[in-house]
Amino acid sequence: MSPEPDPEPPAEESSPPAPGPGPERRGELIRPAPVVFGDGDDAGDGGTELGAVFRTYLRDYIGDSIGRAGPSNAICPFVRGALRAGVMHYAELRVAGHTAPRAVARALVGYLAWFDRSSQRESAEHPGLVVAFPGPPGPLLPVVAAAHRAVLPAVYARGCTAALFHEDPAQPDDPRHPEPRYFTAPAPFYVLRRIIPADLQLSLRVRQMFPAYHRLHAAEARRTRLRTAEAAERWNQACREHGLTP
């Protein structure tokens, strides 16, 4: 199934308010406020069956390194720490197959605004927000993928990065944002997190992301991460493409 044409990116100044307490309805969308996931067996699960599945999935699959040769080889090495620190959040966005991508994009911008504010609090761990999309992936993915692409400029402008994961191998990876997709996900899901210094290689692969990385972490990259001639040349080339200081 081919995705619908990309909607225009939502304007920053017209972003909807951040999700408040309790369910919030936006036309066909049901956009509840995020909840905190914890690490223990008695931690919150978002009040839904899918939320309970996702909490276990994040803790025991995405954040687990068993069989992956050490703690640093977990799929995401930051998940366990974020769960322990109470800075991993979860929400569910219910989307119908005929929902307009623009409506989903506006909902994602609302979550972005909420996450940007909440993740500014000091924490030794890296905060994250998982937004799951309940329902069969087939009818949802074209709509959600179009919305994801539309909001990426706003995501990078806030110093964040985002990825859409799903378990439908028929949908190709987006070459503009080539993070891996984990096909064992319990449902399609969207992840928001802040851009960190370790994102150098990702920012060099993703053209849209590089200006935000350069703005936030150029000094540290020059000091500690451009250790090879290849990395330095790729950095200089990216700077030239964007008109930035090498």
Side-chain angles (χ1 to χ4, degrees):
M1 183 183 298
S2 299
E4 298 181 23
D6 290 358
E8 297 176 6
E12 188 75 12
E13 61 272 14
S14 62
S15 298
E24 182 174 346
R25 294 179 181 272
R26 297 281 183 190
E28 297 168 333
L29 297 173
I30 301 177
R31 194 186 80 188
V35 298
V36 176
F37 270 174
D39 193 34
D41 291 335
D42 58 348
D45 59 11
T48 68
E49 183 177 347
L50 183 59
V53 172
F54 256 99
R55 187 179 66 81
T56 302
Y57 169 77
L58 292 171
R59 183 191 65 189
D60 296 343
Y61 179 68
I62 299 296
D64 188 30
S65 61
I66 293 177
R68 300 193 184 105
S72 63
N73 289 320
I75 290 174
C76 179
F78 308 121
V79 163
R80 274 300 183 105
L83 288 169
R84 285 193 296 267
V87 293
M88 176 61 69
H89 296 85
Y90 173 82
E92 292 176 13
L93 185 61
R94 296 184 179 273
V95 179
H98 57 281
T99 303
R102 181 180 293 274
V104 180
R106 289 189 181 281
L108 292 180
V109 169
Y111 280 125
L112 170 63
W114 180 91
F115 177 72
D116 187 32
R117 284 193 292 272
S118 69
S119 63
Q120 296 289 350
R121 305 177 195 135
E122 288 191 16
S123 171
E125 303 296 340
H126 298 294
L129 170 63
V130 169
V131 180
F133 300 92
L140 303 181
L141 282 172
V143 175
V144 174
H148 164 55
R149 291 193 297 270
V151 302
L152 272 177
V155 170
Y156 296 140
R158 287 184 180 260
C160 297
T161 186
L164 176 64
F165 298 87
H166 59 83
E167 58 182 1
D168 183 357
Q171 293 289 329
D173 286 347
D174 183 347
R176 290 168 290 184
H177 199 76
E179 290 194 11
R181 315 281 178 88
Y182 304 114
F183 297 139
T184 58
F189 67 102
Y190 182 76
V191 177
L192 276 168
R193 63 175 179 81
R194 300 208 73 83
I195 295 172
I196 61 174
D199 286 325
L200 171 62
Q201 296 303 319
L202 178 61
S203 75
L204 290 172
R205 293 199 308 272
V206 182
R207 192 177 190 281
Q208 279 185 295
M209 181 179 172
F210 185 79
Y213 183 89
H214 185 278
R215 170 171 55 87
L216 295 168
H217 303 302
E220 178 165 341
R222 296 188 196 104
R223 187 174 65 251
T224 65
R225 297 184 178 275
L226 302 180
R227 296 173 180 149
T228 67
E230 180 184 2
E233 176 52 33
R234 291 181 65 197
W235 173 270
N236 292 339
Q237 181 180 351
C239 288
R240 289 193 296 270
E241 289 176 357
H242 291 280
L244 299 171
T245 303

